[in-house]
Amino acid sequence: MSNLATILWRSAERFPGATSLVGKQGAYSYPELVKQVTRTGKMLSERSIEPGDAVLYQISNSPAVTTLFFAILSRGAVAVPVNPQWTSREFQVARERCHAKLAISEREDVSPDLLATCIEDLVTGEDVVEDGPVAREDADTAAVFFSSGTTGRPKAISLSHQNLMSNAEWVATRSLPSHAWGPGSHTCAVLPLSHSFALTCNQNAALYAGSALSYLDRFDSGELLNQIRNLNVSVTALVPSAASQLLDAQARAPGDVPLKYCLIGGAPISAALVDRFERAFDVTVVEGYGLTETSPVCAFRTPDTARKPNSVGVAAGHAELNVLDEAGRRVPSGTGELLVRGPGVCARYLDAEVATEDGWLKTGDLARIDQEGHVFIEGRLKDIIIRNGYNVSPVEVEQALEAHPGVDEAGVVGIADANVGEEIVAAVVVRSDAVTVEDLRGFCVSALARYKQPDRILRVASIPKGAKGQVLRDALRAKILT
């Protein structure tokens, strides 16, 4: 049986007395979690959810989102998590693209079929027969993630049960020493569990190993620090900006923390930040790299791997890494576009586009692999902006701004920022001086999720464009910086 949901049933058998989830309403043991997943799965079946059906959901980090994810998988259906910040328009577009048979949200304004409170209502429901997850094949789709693409239309990335299982297994068994995962250890989901980074490195790996999982429903560095101390959190995963803010919180409220390991990834990681974090918290930082198409971890520095400044580690044990050199040859070391192959690499997008060539995925990232296999990400061959670990398409932001009746054209670029990785900066040509920056900010609030909204909006006389009308982003970036 290849169903990813089997990890819960297995952990319930192996660790019946261990805590699985910790939420605002209390803690659940692994057997209690299996019962809750089974009740939720029954609710889905009563709504005619069958194997292969897509269930779209928009829920902040909580036991409910974990319960629903595994309930969907246990019925053989496909989980489609979307960001809690998404607007009604974004939610409905995703709903149509994945042909969701059922849409669930914690927000009434997106017009879901069900409100997420239906899951919480099942906590005290009647016991049901725990018949276990529906059998699935390795290649069957387990989840679909929406991630911004270079065309402005978010990519819908299909990850199979094998994709997610291979990544969860490697992170839970190989990324850290054996004592770091399992009963007695505790991890906190900080990034939204609609993000593949958090889904694998917080949720799936922890539950595979028998660890406890708690949640931060929205990022607040002070609240995170309190949770680490009060719940004895020993492992977590953060993007660089969150790590920096946690340092600031520690400076405001100094004291001991039980944290032992922290994975930092999702955006470029400075050696200075790693050094500050390790010294301030007396923890071991492990760096990693991945993308949604690789489930996501494909490069990692385990604690017993020598650190090289600015390296994201070496190929994770389940992945192969090469680069495409200037001659178009695939080579194991050198500089070029990073290529990934392995069981974590997706085979297709939702619309059946093939995502790989002979099993090798082109990442669009420029990388250097040294003779010892250490990977250094040196830039991107594509225009995607990475802000706080989220992929943001500049085209999507441009299209949103150009939908404003007072905007003639827009150009968007990422500008390096020590806090968030890249700042989203928009240059706009307006049709009238009456169109203010404040007007445009308000317009973006209704059109884009918060993490996609520009950090800065500049009114300009013109935007540099090429012969085909495309925004010349390097020229625009230079114009903004001068």
Side-chain angles (χ1 to χ4, degrees):
M1 177 181 288
S2 299
N3 195 319
L4 177 66
T6 58
I7 68 175
L8 293 189
W9 272 256
R10 186 182 63 180
S11 289
E13 291 179 0
R14 295 175 63 200
F15 317 115
T19 297
S20 60
L21 308 182
V22 180
K24 293 178 181 178
Q25 305 304 316
Y28 303 83
S29 69
Y30 273 90
E32 288 170 338
L33 175 57
V34 166
K35 287 183 179 180
Q36 178 68 353
V37 167
T38 303
R39 291 189 192 106
T40 307
K42 180 184 177 185
M43 179 271 289
L44 295 174
S45 295
E46 289 171 348
R47 290 185 170 269
S48 302
I49 297 301
E50 299 176 349
D53 289 339
V55 178
L56 180 90
Y57 61 93
Q58 182 186 42
I59 306 175
S60 298
N61 286 2
S62 63
V65 75
T66 297
T67 299
L68 181 58
F69 173 78
F70 284 105
I72 294 167
L73 267 57
S74 74
R75 296 302 88 207
V78 177
V80 188
V82 298
N83 195 288
Q85 296 182 32
W86 271 19
T87 64
S88 178
R89 180 186 67 82
E90 292 167 310
F91 184 85
Q92 296 302 334
V93 168
R95 183 178 187 170
E96 292 172 8
R97 286 188 62 192
C98 71
H99 304 289
K101 193 169 185 178
L102 184 65
I104 303 172
S105 178
E106 61 195 6
R107 292 167 42 193
E108 292 186 23
D109 65 301
V110 301
S111 303
D113 298 315
L114 286 174
L115 285 173
T117 51
C118 68
I119 302 164
E120 297 168 2
D121 292 343
L122 293 169
V123 172
T124 56
E126 63 181 22
D127 285 342
V128 294
V129 177
E130 297 171 15
D131 52 2
V134 171
R136 303 300 283 160
E137 298 296 325
D138 283 352
D140 286 339
T141 299
V144 173
F145 293 88
F146 286 91
S147 181
S148 293
T150 55
T151 64
R153 187 186 191 216
K155 295 179 291 183
I157 301 161
S158 297
L159 296 181
S160 69
H161 286 270
Q162 181 190 39
N163 291 154
L164 291 171
M165 181 75 85
S166 66
N167 228 266
E169 180 179 20
W170 189 88
V171 173
T173 62
R174 302 283 298 280
S175 66
L176 299 175
S178 57
H179 65 267
W181 294 105
S185 69
H186 191 127
T187 188
C188 175
V190 179
L191 294 171
L193 288 166
S194 55
H195 195 297
S196 62
F197 181 22
L199 189 90
T200 287
C201 296
N202 287 137
Q203 176 183 280
N204 295 351
L207 299 178
Y208 182 101
S211 299
L213 173 66
S214 59
Y215 305 85
L216 208 63
D217 57 3
R218 57 181 52 82
F219 184 75
D220 179 287
S221 59
E223 177 58 30
L224 175 58
L225 185 60
N226 288 338
Q227 189 170 133
I228 289 171
R229 288 172 172 161
N230 296 338
L231 296 180
N232 202 35
V233 173
S234 53
V235 180
T236 195
L238 301 173
V239 293
S241 60
S244 180
Q245 291 176 58
L246 188 59
L247 280 169
D248 293 339
Q250 169 75 349
R252 292 191 300 268
D256 292 339
V257 295
L259 197 63
K260 301 300 181 187
Y261 297 96
C262 183
L263 164 59
I264 299 182
I269 315 152
S270 73
L273 175 61
V274 170
D275 181 62
R276 285 178 57 218
F277 198 91
E278 288 190 327
R279 288 192 289 113
F281 292 108
D282 190 26
V283 302
T284 297
V285 168
V286 287
E287 304 91 337
Y289 165 86
L291 53 162
T292 303
E293 286 93 334
T294 58
S295 305
V297 180
C298 60
F300 200 89
R301 190 193 70 81
T302 60
D304 58 358
T305 301
R307 174 178 286 150
K308 293 188 177 183
N310 301 316
S311 168
V312 294
V314 300
H318 59 290
E320 297 177 74
L321 301 179
N322 275 191
V323 292
L324 202 62
D325 67 14
E326 292 181 354
R329 299 171 300 185
R330 181 171 54 79
V331 294
S333 62
T335 299
E337 182 175 7
L338 185 64
L339 307 176
V340 186
R341 185 169 70 176
V345 176
C346 73
R348 64 184 61 235
Y349 294 109
L350 186 63
D351 54 10
E353 286 180 47
V354 176
T356 60
E357 295 179 11
D358 298 324
W360 289 96
L361 174 75
K362 292 184 175 181
T363 66
D365 288 324
L366 180 66
R368 175 172 60 88
I369 303 179
D370 69 16
Q371 293 296 323
E372 295 176 322
H374 286 262
V375 182
F376 303 80
I377 305 299
E378 300 192 339
R380 283 191 306 285
L381 301 175
K382 53 190 178 181
D383 293 324
I384 287 296
I385 299 166
I386 299 182
R387 185 184 189 281
N388 268 341
Y390 290 117
N391 287 357
V392 178
S393 164
V395 177
E396 184 180 11
V397 181
E398 286 162 1
Q399 290 171 344
L401 283 164
E402 289 173 352
H404 188 288
V407 172
D408 197 24
E409 57 183 357
V412 174
V413 293
I415 302 292
D417 181 87
N419 188 40
V420 299
E422 284 185 299
E423 194 179 36
I424 303 170
V425 182
V428 297
V429 177
V430 297
R431 294 172 181 166
S432 161
D433 288 340
V435 180
T436 67
V437 168
E438 288 71 27
D439 292 336
L440 298 175
R441 287 193 184 283
F443 189 77
C444 287
V445 167
S446 63
L448 297 165
R450 186 169 59 186
Y451 67 88
K452 299 177 184 177
Q453 295 167 20
D455 297 287
R456 286 190 282 157
I457 299 176
L458 310 174
R459 297 199 313 177
V460 297
S462 63
I463 292 171
K465 292 191 172 182
K468 297 179 181 178
Q470 74 274 26
V471 176
L472 299 177
R473 300 193 192 280
D474 288 344
L476 178 58
R477 188 177 292 106
K479 183 176 182 177
I480 290 169
L481 292 173
T482 55

